[in-house]
Amino acid sequence: MNPFVFSCIAPHGGEIIPELEGSQPKRMSLTRESLIRLGNEMNNANPDTIIVLTPHGTRINGQFSISDSERMEGSVAENEATFSMNRKIDRYLAKNIAEAVAKANLPVGTINYATAAGPFSCLPLDWGAIVPLRFMPDVPIVVITPSRELSYEKHLQFGKALREAVQASKKRIGLIASCDWSHTHDENGPYGYHLAAKELDQEVVTLIRQNQLEKMSDFTDDFVDAAKPDGIWQTLILAGAILPEERQVKLLSYEAPTYFGLLCASI
């Protein structure tokens, strides 16, 4: 049985947030509409806590990173506007996840800042978490950041340990895999242009439609380096946490309106 009340793959381009859409509101409108749908589905699932898998959180080389502060806060700035967010952390769940991961013999660290507890115990909330959470219910969160120094297989194993921790919890828990895809769609973008961007994103769309998320672990290092996606690692954790026969995957949208790919899927 799927241990999550609702889960999704969601992107994190800043302009998706309505308050940051600027003078070109249609540029990411398809994705924005899909995230509104995902947010409504998450809200209807009534989670007590939402786990966010983000590539842009506090990284620990060679270890999975799990938030263990009292709260997190951060801002996203786009188009001369700023959107800010402050969320409480479900520290009890965070510690239980860390224990399950350590028991699976995977490298993991819980992170905090300034003080062990109280109002000064606050970590930065990155845009990989802020953007999808803008559309979600305001409940406590746990933020997890993968490590690209670790193999794809270890990310699948982390997902299995995450599953065990969630199954042991009496709470209703949601899951967001925050993923942007290839970043080399535009020669004027920061990473330039490469044909691999379109090819990898097309393969990702196919794998999601076919509910074969685990097969992203077959992508070669050269292919990934050329396309520069940042969604594979979070998706593999989700794949490990939710068994294929438990997934009802629905692709809501894909677009690449700028230099990186944006995809929304409900699970």
Side-chain angles (χ1 to χ4, degrees), residues 183-221:
H183 283 62
T184 54
H185 284 281
D186 187 344
E187 63 182 7
N188 295 318
Y191 306 103
Y193 174 79
H194 201 287
L195 287 169
K198 183 177 180 180
E199 182 181 351
L200 186 142
D201 282 8
Q202 287 178 339
E203 289 194 31
V204 165
V205 167
T206 298
L207 292 175
I208 288 174
R209 281 178 170 157
Q210 295 177 347
N211 189 21
Q212 296 181 323
L213 308 183
E214 293 85 354
K215 286 194 173 182
M216 291 187 200
S217 63
D218 294 336
F219 291 157
T220 66
D221 291 344

mmCIF file of all heavy atoms in Angstrom, residues 183-221:
data_model
loop_
_atom_site.group_PDB
_atom_site.id
_atom_site.type_symbol
_atom_site.label_atom_id
_atom_site.label_comp_id
_atom_site.label_asym_id
_atom_site.label_seq_id
_atom_site.Cartn_x
_atom_site.Cartn_y
_atom_site.Cartn_z
ATOM 1 N N HIS A 183 18.813 21.412 -18.516
ATOM 2 C CA HIS A 183 19.104 22.843 -18.433
ATOM 3 C C HIS A 183 19.896 23.351 -19.634
ATOM 4 O O HIS A 183 20.480 24.444 -19.573
ATOM 5 C CB HIS A 183 19.882 23.140 -17.150
ATOM 6 C CG HIS A 183 19.036 23.151 -15.916
ATOM 7 N ND1 HIS A 183 18.354 22.047 -15.468
ATOM 8 C CD2 HIS A 183 18.747 24.146 -15.021
ATOM 9 C CE1 HIS A 183 17.696 22.348 -14.351
ATOM 10 N NE2 HIS A 183 17.911 23.616 -14.067
ATOM 11 N N THR A 184 19.930 22.583 -20.723
ATOM 12 C CA THR A 184 20.703 23.001 -21.903
ATOM 13 C C THR A 184 19.809 23.077 -23.139
ATOM 14 O O THR A 184 20.171 22.638 -24.228
ATOM 15 C CB THR A 184 21.898 22.058 -22.145
ATOM 16 O OG1 THR A 184 21.418 20.692 -22.225
ATOM 17 C CG2 THR A 184 22.911 22.154 -21.039
ATOM 18 N N HIS A 185 18.617 23.660 -22.969
ATOM 19 C CA HIS A 185 17.680 23.817 -24.077
ATOM 20 C C HIS A 185 17.926 25.088 -24.888
ATOM 21 O O HIS A 185 17.392 25.218 -25.988
ATOM 22 C CB HIS A 185 16.242 23.856 -23.550
ATOM 23 C CG HIS A 185 15.695 22.529 -23.152
ATOM 24 N ND1 HIS A 185 15.219 21.611 -24.059
ATOM 25 C CD2 HIS A 185 15.542 21.953 -21.927
ATOM 26 C CE1 HIS A 185 14.787 20.527 -23.421
ATOM 27 N NE2 HIS A 185 14.968 20.713 -22.137
ATOM 28 N N ASP A 186 18.686 26.031 -24.369
ATOM 29 C CA ASP A 186 18.798 27.355 -24.986
ATOM 30 C C ASP A 186 20.254 27.797 -24.990
ATOM 31 O O ASP A 186 20.904 27.839 -23.941
ATOM 32 C CB ASP A 186 17.943 28.356 -24.199
ATOM 33 C CG ASP A 186 17.844 29.720 -24.856
ATOM 34 O OD1 ASP A 186 18.648 30.023 -25.759
ATOM 35 O OD2 ASP A 186 16.969 30.507 -24.458
ATOM 36 N N GLU A 187 20.748 28.152 -26.166
ATOM 37 C CA GLU A 187 22.151 28.577 -26.265
ATOM 38 C C GLU A 187 22.429 29.852 -25.484
ATOM 39 O O GLU A 187 23.566 30.131 -25.113
ATOM 40 C CB GLU A 187 22.541 28.766 -27.726
ATOM 41 C CG GLU A 187 21.771 29.845 -28.456
ATOM 42 C CD GLU A 187 22.176 29.964 -29.919
ATOM 43 O OE1 GLU A 187 22.956 29.119 -30.384
ATOM 44 O OE2 GLU A 187 21.711 30.921 -30.572
ATOM 45 N N ASN A 188 21.388 30.628 -25.217
ATOM 46 C CA ASN A 188 21.555 31.858 -24.439
ATOM 47 C C ASN A 188 21.391 31.630 -22.937
ATOM 48 O O ASN A 188 21.536 32.562 -22.155
ATOM 49 C CB ASN A 188 20.550 32.911 -24.897
ATOM 50 C CG ASN A 188 20.798 33.354 -26.330
ATOM 51 O OD1 ASN A 188 21.943 33.561 -26.730
ATOM 52 N ND2 ASN A 188 19.728 33.484 -27.117
ATOM 53 N N GLY A 189 21.082 30.398 -22.546
ATOM 54 C CA GLY A 189 20.975 30.083 -21.132
ATOM 55 C C GLY A 189 22.349 29.950 -20.489
ATOM 56 O O GLY A 189 23.379 29.919 -21.185
ATOM 57 N N PRO A 190 22.408 29.844 -19.182
ATOM 58 C CA PRO A 190 23.691 29.805 -18.471
ATOM 59 C C PRO A 190 24.531 28.568 -18.765
ATOM 60 O O PRO A 190 25.741 28.565 -18.516
ATOM 61 C CB PRO A 190 23.295 29.863 -16.995
ATOM 62 C CG PRO A 190 21.878 29.382 -16.961
ATOM 63 C CD PRO A 190 21.276 29.819 -18.252
ATOM 64 N N TYR A 191 23.921 27.506 -19.275
ATOM 65 C CA TYR A 191 24.651 26.269 -19.539
ATOM 66 C C TYR A 191 24.769 25.963 -21.034
ATOM 67 O O TYR A 191 25.242 24.900 -21.410
ATOM 68 C CB TYR A 191 23.966 25.092 -18.824
ATOM 69 C CG TYR A 191 23.790 25.338 -17.351
ATOM 70 C CD1 TYR A 191 22.544 25.701 -16.832
ATOM 71 C CD2 TYR A 191 24.866 25.256 -16.468
ATOM 72 C CE1 TYR A 191 22.374 25.945 -15.477
ATOM 73 C CE2 TYR A 191 24.709 25.504 -15.121
ATOM 74 C CZ TYR A 191 23.460 25.856 -14.636
ATOM 75 O OH TYR A 191 23.295 26.115 -13.293
ATOM 76 N N GLY A 192 24.328 26.906 -21.887
ATOM 77 C CA GLY A 192 24.422 26.697 -23.313
ATOM 78 C C GLY A 192 23.412 25.697 -23.841
ATOM 79 O O GLY A 192 22.478 25.301 -23.144
ATOM 80 N N TYR A 193 23.624 25.293 -25.103
ATOM 81 C CA TYR A 193 22.687 24.389 -25.770
ATOM 82 C C TYR A 193 23.337 23.045 -26.050
ATOM 83 O O TYR A 193 24.517 22.973 -26.425
ATOM 84 C CB TYR A 193 22.213 24.994 -27.088
ATOM 85 C CG TYR A 193 21.363 24.047 -27.907
ATOM 86 C CD1 TYR A 193 20.023 23.843 -27.595
ATOM 87 C CD2 TYR A 193 21.925 23.345 -28.977
ATOM 88 C CE1 TYR A 193 19.246 22.960 -28.332
ATOM 89 C CE2 TYR A 193 21.143 22.469 -29.720
ATOM 90 C CZ TYR A 193 19.816 22.276 -29.396
ATOM 91 O OH TYR A 193 19.054 21.399 -30.111
ATOM 92 N N HIS A 194 22.546 21.978 -25.879
ATOM 93 C CA HIS A 194 23.004 20.643 -26.257
ATOM 94 C C HIS A 194 21.800 19.826 -26.705
ATOM 95 O O HIS A 194 20.724 19.877 -26.090
ATOM 96 C CB HIS A 194 23.704 19.938 -25.096
ATOM 97 C CG HIS A 194 24.603 18.827 -25.538
ATOM 98 N ND1 HIS A 194 24.126 17.625 -26.010
ATOM 99 C CD2 HIS A 194 25.961 18.730 -25.578
ATOM 100 C CE1 HIS A 194 25.142 16.844 -26.329
ATOM 101 N NE2 HIS A 194 26.266 17.491 -26.079
ATOM 102 N N LEU A 195 21.978 19.059 -27.766
ATOM 103 C CA LEU A 195 20.899 18.209 -28.275
ATOM 104 C C LEU A 195 20.390 17.227 -27.226
ATOM 105 O O LEU A 195 19.236 16.796 -27.267
ATOM 106 C CB LEU A 195 21.386 17.428 -29.498
ATOM 107 C CG LEU A 195 21.557 18.222 -30.801
ATOM 108 C CD1 LEU A 195 22.296 17.361 -31.826
ATOM 109 C CD2 LEU A 195 20.209 18.653 -31.341
ATOM 110 N N ALA A 196 21.256 16.866 -26.289
ATOM 111 C CA ALA A 196 20.878 15.886 -25.267
ATOM 112 C C ALA A 196 19.725 16.369 -24.402
ATOM 113 O O ALA A 196 18.994 15.555 -23.822
ATOM 114 C CB ALA A 196 22.083 15.559 -24.382
ATOM 115 N N ALA A 197 19.530 17.685 -24.293
ATOM 116 C CA ALA A 197 18.468 18.218 -23.431
ATOM 117 C C ALA A 197 17.099 17.725 -23.889
ATOM 118 O O ALA A 197 16.314 17.190 -23.095
ATOM 119 C CB ALA A 197 18.513 19.740 -23.417
ATOM 120 N N LYS A 198 16.803 17.908 -25.161
ATOM 121 C CA LYS A 198 15.511 17.469 -25.683
ATOM 122 C C LYS A 198 15.376 15.958 -25.593
ATOM 123 O O LYS A 198 14.320 15.434 -25.214
ATOM 124 C CB LYS A 198 15.355 17.924 -27.124
ATOM 125 C CG LYS A 198 14.002 17.566 -27.736
ATOM 126 C CD LYS A 198 13.881 18.104 -29.157
ATOM 127 C CE LYS A 198 12.531 17.758 -29.760
ATOM 128 N NZ LYS A 198 12.404 18.284 -31.148
ATOM 129 N N GLU A 199 16.457 15.242 -25.907
ATOM 130 C CA GLU A 199 16.416 13.781 -25.893
ATOM 131 C C GLU A 199 16.167 13.251 -24.489
ATOM 132 O O GLU A 199 15.310 12.374 -24.288
ATOM 133 C CB GLU A 199 17.727 13.218 -26.436
ATOM 134 C CG GLU A 199 17.747 11.697 -26.496
ATOM 135 C CD GLU A 199 19.069 11.155 -27.017
ATOM 136 O OE1 GLU A 199 19.900 11.953 -27.481
ATOM 137 O OE2 GLU A 199 19.276 9.924 -26.920
ATOM 138 N N LEU A 200 16.889 13.773 -23.500
ATOM 139 C CA LEU A 200 16.712 13.274 -22.132
ATOM 140 C C LEU A 200 15.307 13.592 -21.624
ATOM 141 O O LEU A 200 14.641 12.733 -21.031
ATOM 142 C CB LEU A 200 17.766 13.865 -21.204
ATOM 143 C CG LEU A 200 17.764 13.291 -19.782
ATOM 144 C CD1 LEU A 200 19.186 13.137 -19.233
ATOM 145 C CD2 LEU A 200 16.951 14.156 -18.815
ATOM 146 N N ASP A 201 14.846 14.812 -21.860
ATOM 147 C CA ASP A 201 13.516 15.169 -21.365
ATOM 148 C C ASP A 201 12.432 14.319 -22.016
ATOM 149 O O ASP A 201 11.442 13.935 -21.362
ATOM 150 C CB ASP A 201 13.249 16.653 -21.596
ATOM 151 C CG ASP A 201 13.955 17.539 -20.575
ATOM 152 O OD1 ASP A 201 14.771 17.003 -19.794
ATOM 153 O OD2 ASP A 201 13.693 18.761 -20.568
ATOM 154 N N GLN A 202 12.589 14.008 -23.294
ATOM 155 C CA GLN A 202 11.617 13.125 -23.953
ATOM 156 C C GLN A 202 11.622 11.741 -23.320
ATOM 157 O O GLN A 202 10.561 11.133 -23.133
ATOM 158 C CB GLN A 202 11.931 13.035 -25.447
ATOM 159 C CG GLN A 202 11.576 14.285 -26.236
ATOM 160 C CD GLN A 202 11.948 14.193 -27.702
ATOM 161 O OE1 GLN A 202 12.797 13.384 -28.095
ATOM 162 N NE2 GLN A 202 11.328 15.012 -28.525
ATOM 163 N N GLU A 203 12.799 11.242 -22.976
ATOM 164 C CA GLU A 203 12.889 9.932 -22.329
ATOM 165 C C GLU A 203 12.258 9.971 -20.941
ATOM 166 O O GLU A 203 11.576 9.022 -20.532
ATOM 167 C CB GLU A 203 14.346 9.481 -22.254
ATOM 168 C CG GLU A 203 14.943 9.103 -23.601
ATOM 169 C CD GLU A 203 16.237 8.347 -23.481
ATOM 170 O OE1 GLU A 203 16.417 7.606 -22.492
ATOM 171 O OE2 GLU A 203 17.081 8.499 -24.387
ATOM 172 N N VAL A 204 12.471 11.064 -20.215
ATOM 173 C CA VAL A 204 11.871 11.209 -18.886
ATOM 174 C C VAL A 204 10.346 11.199 -18.998
ATOM 175 O O VAL A 204 9.662 10.516 -18.229
ATOM 176 C CB VAL A 204 12.366 12.506 -18.208
ATOM 177 C CG1 VAL A 204 11.486 12.862 -17.006
ATOM 178 C CG2 VAL A 204 13.815 12.350 -17.763
ATOM 179 N N VAL A 205 9.797 11.947 -19.940
ATOM 180 C CA VAL A 205 8.349 11.976 -20.136
ATOM 181 C C VAL A 205 7.823 10.566 -20.423
ATOM 182 O O VAL A 205 6.810 10.139 -19.852
ATOM 183 C CB VAL A 205 7.981 12.943 -21.283
ATOM 184 C CG1 VAL A 205 6.521 12.735 -21.719
ATOM 185 C CG2 VAL A 205 8.191 14.383 -20.848
ATOM 186 N N THR A 206 8.528 9.835 -21.277
ATOM 187 C CA THR A 206 8.115 8.471 -21.604
ATOM 188 C C THR A 206 8.155 7.564 -20.386
ATOM 189 O O THR A 206 7.210 6.798 -20.125
ATOM 190 C CB THR A 206 9.008 7.889 -22.709
ATOM 191 O OG1 THR A 206 8.863 8.673 -23.891
ATOM 192 C CG2 THR A 206 8.628 6.446 -23.014
ATOM 193 N N LEU A 207 9.229 7.640 -19.613
ATOM 194 C CA LEU A 207 9.364 6.789 -18.427
ATOM 195 C C LEU A 207 8.288 7.106 -17.395
ATOM 196 O O LEU A 207 7.764 6.200 -16.735
ATOM 197 C CB LEU A 207 10.755 6.947 -17.816
ATOM 198 C CG LEU A 207 11.915 6.397 -18.648
ATOM 199 C CD1 LEU A 207 13.255 6.725 -17.980
ATOM 200 C CD2 LEU A 207 11.786 4.894 -18.842
ATOM 201 N N ILE A 208 7.946 8.368 -17.256
ATOM 202 C CA ILE A 208 6.892 8.740 -16.309
ATOM 203 C C ILE A 208 5.545 8.222 -16.794
ATOM 204 O O ILE A 208 4.763 7.656 -16.021
ATOM 205 C CB ILE A 208 6.876 10.263 -16.096
ATOM 206 C CG1 ILE A 208 8.104 10.674 -15.258
ATOM 207 C CG2 ILE A 208 5.588 10.715 -15.410
ATOM 208 C CD1 ILE A 208 8.283 12.161 -15.093
ATOM 209 N N ARG A 209 5.280 8.372 -18.073
ATOM 210 C CA ARG A 209 4.009 7.865 -18.615
ATOM 211 C C ARG A 209 3.901 6.351 -18.473
ATOM 212 O O ARG A 209 2.813 5.810 -18.269
ATOM 213 C CB ARG A 209 3.895 8.266 -20.091
ATOM 214 C CG ARG A 209 3.469 9.710 -20.301
ATOM 215 C CD ARG A 209 3.416 10.053 -21.758
ATOM 216 N NE ARG A 209 2.772 11.358 -21.975
ATOM 217 C CZ ARG A 209 2.964 12.114 -23.040
ATOM 218 N NH1 ARG A 209 3.790 11.712 -23.995
ATOM 219 N NH2 ARG A 209 2.341 13.275 -23.158
ATOM 220 N N GLN A 210 5.034 5.665 -18.574
ATOM 221 C CA GLN A 210 5.042 4.202 -18.491
ATOM 222 C C GLN A 210 5.238 3.681 -17.070
ATOM 223 O O GLN A 210 5.327 2.477 -16.867
ATOM 224 C CB GLN A 210 6.144 3.652 -19.403
ATOM 225 C CG GLN A 210 5.917 3.925 -20.880
ATOM 226 C CD GLN A 210 7.058 3.444 -21.756
ATOM 227 O OE1 GLN A 210 8.148 3.113 -21.271
ATOM 228 N NE2 GLN A 210 6.834 3.407 -23.062
ATOM 229 N N ASN A 211 5.335 4.607 -16.095
ATOM 230 C CA ASN A 211 5.559 4.214 -14.709
ATOM 231 C C ASN A 211 6.832 3.378 -14.561
ATOM 232 O O ASN A 211 6.865 2.373 -13.863
ATOM 233 C CB ASN A 211 4.358 3.447 -14.143
ATOM 234 C CG ASN A 211 4.458 3.215 -12.647
ATOM 235 O OD1 ASN A 211 5.195 3.923 -11.940
ATOM 236 N ND2 ASN A 211 3.755 2.217 -12.145
ATOM 237 N N GLN A 212 7.887 3.807 -15.219
ATOM 238 C CA GLN A 212 9.179 3.136 -15.151
ATOM 239 C C GLN A 212 10.240 4.095 -14.622
ATOM 240 O O GLN A 212 11.307 4.270 -15.201
ATOM 241 C CB GLN A 212 9.572 2.593 -16.528
ATOM 242 C CG GLN A 212 8.638 1.513 -17.036
ATOM 243 C CD GLN A 212 9.059 0.962 -18.383
ATOM 244 O OE1 GLN A 212 9.554 1.687 -19.249
ATOM 245 N NE2 GLN A 212 8.886 -0.329 -18.577
ATOM 246 N N LEU A 213 9.948 4.704 -13.481
ATOM 247 C CA LEU A 213 10.821 5.732 -12.923
ATOM 248 C C LEU A 213 12.219 5.189 -12.625
ATOM 249 O O LEU A 213 13.212 5.910 -12.751
ATOM 250 C CB LEU A 213 10.207 6.295 -11.642
ATOM 251 C CG LEU A 213 8.756 6.796 -11.720
ATOM 252 C CD1 LEU A 213 8.328 7.386 -10.391
ATOM 253 C CD2 LEU A 213 8.580 7.802 -12.847
ATOM 254 N N GLU A 214 12.298 3.934 -12.207
ATOM 255 C CA GLU A 214 13.589 3.336 -11.845
ATOM 256 C C GLU A 214 14.573 3.332 -13.012
ATOM 257 O O GLU A 214 15.796 3.343 -12.795
ATOM 258 C CB GLU A 214 13.386 1.898 -11.359
ATOM 259 C CG GLU A 214 12.626 1.784 -10.036
ATOM 260 C CD GLU A 214 11.125 1.796 -10.197
ATOM 261 O OE1 GLU A 214 10.625 2.017 -11.333
ATOM 262 O OE2 GLU A 214 10.426 1.596 -9.190
ATOM 263 N N LYS A 215 14.066 3.329 -14.239
ATOM 264 C CA LYS A 215 14.945 3.244 -15.397
ATOM 265 C C LYS A 215 15.756 4.519 -15.627
ATOM 266 O O LYS A 215 16.671 4.521 -16.458
ATOM 267 C CB LYS A 215 14.136 2.888 -16.642
ATOM 268 C CG LYS A 215 13.683 1.431 -16.665
ATOM 269 C CD LYS A 215 13.196 1.013 -18.027
ATOM 270 C CE LYS A 215 12.906 -0.476 -18.070
ATOM 271 N NZ LYS A 215 12.474 -0.935 -19.405
ATOM 272 N N MET A 216 15.444 5.595 -14.905
ATOM 273 C CA MET A 216 16.292 6.782 -14.991
ATOM 274 C C MET A 216 17.706 6.490 -14.481
ATOM 275 O O MET A 216 18.647 7.204 -14.808
ATOM 276 C CB MET A 216 15.667 7.939 -14.211
ATOM 277 C CG MET A 216 14.401 8.479 -14.837
ATOM 278 S SD MET A 216 13.790 9.959 -14.006
ATOM 279 C CE MET A 216 12.093 9.956 -14.563
ATOM 280 N N SER A 217 17.842 5.436 -13.681
ATOM 281 C CA SER A 217 19.168 5.051 -13.196
ATOM 282 C C SER A 217 20.038 4.485 -14.312
ATOM 283 O O SER A 217 21.240 4.299 -14.127
ATOM 284 C CB SER A 217 19.050 4.030 -12.064
ATOM 285 O OG SER A 217 18.440 2.838 -12.516
ATOM 286 N N ASP A 218 19.453 4.217 -15.491
ATOM 287 C CA ASP A 218 20.218 3.702 -16.627
ATOM 288 C C ASP A 218 20.861 4.814 -17.452
ATOM 289 O O ASP A 218 21.668 4.524 -18.345
ATOM 290 C CB ASP A 218 19.313 2.864 -17.540
ATOM 291 C CG ASP A 218 18.803 1.597 -16.876
ATOM 292 O OD1 ASP A 218 19.463 1.124 -15.932
ATOM 293 O OD2 ASP A 218 17.752 1.083 -17.303
ATOM 294 N N PHE A 219 20.512 6.061 -17.194
ATOM 295 C CA PHE A 219 21.124 7.167 -17.937
ATOM 296 C C PHE A 219 22.635 7.185 -17.686
ATOM 297 O O PHE A 219 23.084 7.069 -16.541
ATOM 298 C CB PHE A 219 20.535 8.506 -17.513
ATOM 299 C CG PHE A 219 19.099 8.724 -17.913
ATOM 300 C CD1 PHE A 219 18.316 9.628 -17.219
ATOM 301 C CD2 PHE A 219 18.526 8.042 -18.980
ATOM 302 C CE1 PHE A 219 16.992 9.851 -17.576
ATOM 303 C CE2 PHE A 219 17.202 8.256 -19.341
ATOM 304 C CZ PHE A 219 16.432 9.157 -18.647
ATOM 305 N N THR A 220 23.407 7.360 -18.750
ATOM 306 C CA THR A 220 24.863 7.398 -18.597
ATOM 307 C C THR A 220 25.319 8.753 -18.050
ATOM 308 O O THR A 220 24.629 9.762 -18.200
ATOM 309 C CB THR A 220 25.567 7.141 -19.936
ATOM 310 O OG1 THR A 220 25.282 8.236 -20.830
ATOM 311 C CG2 THR A 220 25.092 5.828 -20.561
ATOM 312 N N ASP A 221 26.484 8.755 -17.442
ATOM 313 C CA ASP A 221 27.030 9.993 -16.879
ATOM 314 C C ASP A 221 27.224 11.057 -17.954
ATOM 315 O O ASP A 221 26.950 12.245 -17.724
ATOM 316 C CB ASP A 221 28.357 9.716 -16.174
ATOM 317 C CG ASP A 221 28.199 8.893 -14.911
ATOM 318 O OD1 ASP A 221 27.053 8.792 -14.412
ATOM 319 O OD2 ASP A 221 29.202 8.343 -14.430
#
